[in-house]
Amino acid sequence: MRTVTVVGASLSGLYAARELRAQGFDGRLVIVGDEPHRPYDRPPLSKDFLTGRVGEDHLALADDEETAGLGAEWLLGTRARGLDVRGRTLLLDDGRTVSTDGVVIATGASARSLPGDGLAGVHTLRSLDDARALRDELADGPRQVVVIGGGFIGAETASSCAALGHTVTVVEAASLPLVPHLGAQMAAVCAALHRRGGVDLVTGTGVAGLRGAAYVTGVALSDGSTLPAEIVVVGIGATPNTRWLAGSTLTLHDGVVCDEGCVTALPQVVAVGDVARVGGTRAEHWTSATEQPRVAVANLLAGRTVERARSLPYFWSDQYGACIQFAGRRRDGDTVRIAEGELTDGAPGDGGFLALYERDGRMTAVLSVDRPRPFMRARRALTRGESRVQPTAL
């Protein structure tokens, strides 16, 4: 390959560019990004950046020296609008084309929206520009904030808003936030963090619509009630950015379909990060975005699948002063046992806790609140396949 194009100046896109150089590719490297910014870290957007603890200079994933060392052509502020695989050409929305021998798709995902989110005061939180706009509005003084969606982004945003002195309500359509990830028992425990942080949690009720003329004034719920709101944050998940690939020969199904090595139906095209459905699973987590590129690049340069991505699912979230960490593959029917710490009135105690998910005498996953060291030991045991771990060994 003489030219490889990374589509997406994202976390996974940057890691793919690094891997290309580290694995010996010395040809032309092109990085295309729809945002005008160089790659930046997204997790702080809903946390320290939103509360003003860190500035934009702390978000950069690479300094100027490393960026220059990649020897890449950066085409920022322009979107890819098509991929002509037969002609080995990437089409850009500004009319330019890029001739390329290999492609790494790292276009990520976009925040889902609600009807009426064009009202002033309604925000999503996915990009740096989103975070800038929300942070500026939150700086105008105490407001009534409604966060729609109790997932990780929603919970972290609610926590940040509460820390800034705003009155916050979280609306979650499910019976509890995070049930698909944690199961009902542990989801209830983590939901208690909202209460501890002074945030109202409304569950089991969907959103019927947003109220207001030019500015949002309320959130209408499916039970007929309306929550007053001056600021609304919509955190109802994300959609993989694959629209630009419509009409290509790639298989698209809630992401770019790949084998376990991040390779699409075409060996010269691989996909990584939030946009990639690898081995039947699409994982929107920082860890996947940083671990998949090594395997994907190895397979791209080999022209076939020679390695497979087999990382253990892992995510973390910082909410209301607590650090939640989870690793493993939980399934319905797993039992949960508190191995360290305790719960107080259904909420994490002052010292946090460590919970083990088990099935047939084997550990399948681990959840920690403010117990990082025993969590890391349990995570390493899971990674090594040592699932018969006794609590005293953690």
Side-chain angles (χ1 to χ4, degrees):
M1 291 185 177
R2 291 177 296 178
T3 300
V4 173
T5 302
V6 177
V7 188
S10 56
L11 173 68
S12 58
L14 176 63
Y15 271 68
R18 288 171 173 168
E19 286 293 339
L20 281 160
R21 294 310 192 201
Q23 294 187 35
F25 177 71
D26 59 1
R28 181 188 180 207
L29 174 58
V30 181
I31 303 175
V32 178
D34 61 347
E35 295 184 54
H37 318 292
R38 292 283 176 93
Y40 58 88
D41 205 15
R42 295 182 189 272
L45 295 181
S46 57
K47 295 173 282 193
D48 288 347
F49 181 79
L50 200 59
T51 58
R53 292 192 189 96
V54 301
E56 293 184 23
D57 55 327
H58 286 81
L59 301 179
L61 289 169
D63 58 26
D64 292 342
E65 182 178 356
E66 181 187 2
T67 300
L70 287 174
E73 299 175 34
W74 294 83
L75 305 180
L76 300 177
T78 183
R79 293 178 181 273
R81 68 174 178 85
L83 179 62
D84 179 357
V85 179
R86 181 172 298 178
R88 297 193 173 191
T89 302
L90 178 72
L91 313 176
L92 305 181
D93 64 359
D94 61 6
R96 287 180 291 175
T97 61
V98 179
S99 297
T100 188
D101 303 302
V103 176
V104 179
I105 299 172
T107 45
S110 297
R112 291 193 178 101
S113 59
L114 286 173
D117 69 355
L119 294 172
V122 179
H123 299 263
T124 56
L125 186 52
R126 187 78 187 181
S127 69
L128 175 56
D129 291 339
D130 292 339
R132 284 172 173 169
L134 179 57
R135 187 179 67 173
D136 289 346
E137 193 159 358
L138 291 171
D140 289 339
R143 312 286 287 276
Q144 289 181 309
V145 179
V146 174
V147 178
I148 302 173
F152 298 112
I153 296 297
E156 290 170 359
T157 302
S159 172
S160 295
C161 291
L164 291 170
H166 300 281
T167 301
V168 185
T169 300
V170 174
V171 179
E172 170 58 51
S175 59
L176 285 168
L178 304 178
V179 168
H181 302 279
L182 306 180
Q185 183 180 353
M186 289 295 102
V189 172
C190 291
L193 294 173
H194 291 285
R195 182 173 64 252
R196 192 169 80 181
V199 169
D200 290 334
L201 177 62
V202 178
T203 61
T205 303
V207 172
L210 303 178
R211 297 288 181 258
Y215 294 86
V216 69
T217 58
V219 177
L221 304 181
S222 56
D223 63 5
S225 62
T226 298
L227 298 172
E230 297 169 280
I231 297 176
V232 172
V233 182
V234 180
I236 55 174
T239 303
N241 292 324
T242 59
R243 184 176 299 178
W244 66 281
L245 292 166
S248 71
T249 56
L250 300 180
T251 303
L252 307 177
H253 176 66
D254 185 37
V256 178
V257 176
C258 309
D259 66 12
E260 291 185 341
C262 304
V263 180
T264 70
L266 303 168
Q268 71 270 32
V269 180
V270 297
V272 292
D274 292 357
V275 74
R277 176 168 283 279
V278 179
T281 302
R282 189 173 67 84
E284 295 181 13
H285 296 304
W286 193 91
T287 307
S288 300
T290 57
E291 292 181 349
Q292 290 172 355
R294 184 193 64 78
V295 172
V297 166
N299 294 332
L300 178 68
L301 296 179
R304 59 189 177 91
T305 301
V306 295
E307 292 192 42
R308 287 169 171 77
R310 300 187 182 277
S311 60
L312 183 77
Y314 165 69
F315 62 80
W316 80 92
S317 179
D318 297 309
Q319 308 170 19
Y320 307 106
C323 178
I324 301 171
Q325 295 173 285
F326 181 90
R329 295 178 174 87
R330 183 202 73 84
R331 294 182 295 165
D332 292 341
D334 288 355
T335 59
V336 183
R337 178 163 55 90
I338 303 299
E340 289 193 14
E342 59 183 15
L343 305 180
T344 304
D345 296 327
D350 290 340
F353 69 90
L354 182 81
L356 303 181
Y357 293 75
E358 298 172 329
R359 175 180 291 266
D360 299 328
R362 304 187 72 87
M363 181 169 58
T364 59
V366 58
L367 169 69
S368 164
V369 175
D370 294 334
R371 293 267 174 150
R373 289 185 178 178
F375 171 83
M376 291 306 298
R377 289 195 287 271
R379 180 188 174 192
R380 285 195 294 267
L382 278 170
T383 301
R384 292 191 300 263
E386 301 170 3
S387 56
R388 290 189 180 277
V389 179
Q390 298 299 319
T392 55
L394 298 177

